[in-house]
């Protein structure tokens, strides 16, 4: 038997403030009750294996990726986001130890609840834990607040530099901000939070009315 680590990575709800994060605006955020259930097991080599299922038929899929500063993501494939996270963490923190990850997601595909950014977040969670990233001086010197970490996760996705030390790369090929990562990483049950961006700053936490419920409809159109 081998011990495993478990992570919950929710989808996010953008209550107000669409497309405000990359231009310094504000947004009001919450997490959904659905998301990714992630389990990781440490490996002794530099391989990251990811096992998941897709679609209503729960078709199984997997990928094996070697940790490398020169890892080239397979564009158009679901593994591009995990590969981008692995490459950036290898370049910024010299990670060397891999993990086996198994996950299930009950968010609808293309539902607009940031499943792509959630992938960046769960890769960070699993690899940071495996490689002790948060104990490294390079982390503690450059990412001193939770908000700075949320920004960094956005930079992994869009490829921007995070200061002069945590240098960026190509990212996943899209340009966005850190709103999605902020919502996923910071949300609490029964709360909504307001953040501003560029830089990411927490501006308030508010109780969500107990007699209210968000009903999210997914059309299935892409």
């Amino acid at each position: 038997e081998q011990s495993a680590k478990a992570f919950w990575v929710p989808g996010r709800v953008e209550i107000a403030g669409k497309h405000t994060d990359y231009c310094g605006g504000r947004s009001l955020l919450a997490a959904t009750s659905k998301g990714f259930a992630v389990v990781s097991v440490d490996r002794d080599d530099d391989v990251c294996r990811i096992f998941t299922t897709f679609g209503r038929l729960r078709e199984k899929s997997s990928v094996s990726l070697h940790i490398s500063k020169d890892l080239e993501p397979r564009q158009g494939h679901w593994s591009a986001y995990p590969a981008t996270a692995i490459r950036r963490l290898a370049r910024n923190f010299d990670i060397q130890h891999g993990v086996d990850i198994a996950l299930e997601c009950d968010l609808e595909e293309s539902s607009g609840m940031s499943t792509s950014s959630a992938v960046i977040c769960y890769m960070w969670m699993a690899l940071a834990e495996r490689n002790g990233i948060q104990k490294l001086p390079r982390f503690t010197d450059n990412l001193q607040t939770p908000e700075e970490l949320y920004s960094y996760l956005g930079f992994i996705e869009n490829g921007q530099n995070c200061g002069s030390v945590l240098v960026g790369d190509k990212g996943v090929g899209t340009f966005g901000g850190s709103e999605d990562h902020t919502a996923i990483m910071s949300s609490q049950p029964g709360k909504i939070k307001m953040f501003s961006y560029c830089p990411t700053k927490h501006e308030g936490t508010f109780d969500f009315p107990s007699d209210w419920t968000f009903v999210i409809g997914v059309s299935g159109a892409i």
Side-chain angles (χ1 to χ4, degrees):
E1 294 184 0
Q2 189 173 359
S3 63
K5 300 176 181 68
F7 307 95
W8 172 246
V9 185
R12 71 101 180 92
V13 177
E14 188 180 58
I15 300 170
K18 192 171 184 62
H19 292 296
T20 60
D21 50 348
Y22 48 82
C23 56
R26 291 178 172 84
S27 60
L28 198 62
L29 305 172
T32 68
S33 58
K34 295 188 175 185
F36 290 85
V38 182
V39 176
S40 72
V41 175
D42 293 350
R43 295 179 60 93
D44 294 326
D45 56 16
D46 66 349
V47 174
C48 293
R49 296 192 302 171
I50 305 170
F51 303 87
T52 188
T53 58
F54 288 99
R56 297 184 182 276
L57 298 179
R58 314 313 297 163
E59 296 179 359
K60 294 181 180 180
S61 185
S62 64
V63 68
S64 181
L65 302 165
H66 284 269
I67 295 173
S68 170
K69 297 176 182 179
D70 299 313
L71 180 62
E72 281 297 328
R74 179 181 168 188
Q75 297 303 319
H77 190 261
W78 66 266
S79 65
Y81 275 74
T84 297
I86 291 169
R87 181 180 63 195
R88 181 69 179 261
L89 295 176
R91 291 182 174 187
N92 289 167
F93 297 105
D94 196 29
I95 64 169
Q96 298 179 20
H97 302 297
V99 290
D100 284 340
I101 294 174
L103 63 99
E104 284 284 351
C105 177
D106 59 358
L107 291 168
E108 292 290 336
E109 293 184 38
S110 302
S111 61
M113 289 184 280
S114 297
T115 53
S116 297
S117 296
V119 174
I120 300 294
C121 292
Y122 77 64
M123 291 302 297
W124 158 258
M125 291 176 181
L127 288 172
E129 182 72 22
R130 174 66 184 102
N131 291 274
I133 292 177
Q134 289 170 295
K135 298 178 182 178
L136 298 175
R138 177 167 277 221
F139 178 91
T140 58
D141 290 347
N142 294 282
L143 301 173
Q144 298 182 352
T145 68
E147 290 87 349
E148 288 176 339
L149 173 59
Y150 309 153
S151 293
Y152 176 70
L153 297 177
F155 295 147
I156 290 178
E157 189 166 337
N158 66 33
Q160 286 187 296
N161 294 338
C162 184
S164 61
V165 176
L166 304 179
V167 178
D169 53 22
K170 295 178 287 187
V172 298
T174 60
F175 184 80
S178 61
E179 175 193 277
D180 299 342
H181 316 80
T182 298
I184 290 166
M185 297 292 289
S186 73
S187 290
Q188 297 174 272
K191 305 291 185 181
I192 55 178
K193 295 190 176 186
M194 184 168 71
F195 285 86
S196 57
Y197 305 96
C198 302
T200 303
K201 181 182 178 182
H202 178 230
E203 297 199 342
T205 298
F206 312 96
D207 292 328
F208 189 78
S210 59
D211 57 342
W212 288 19
T213 299
F214 280 123
V215 178
I216 300 172
V218 181
S219 68
I222 300 177

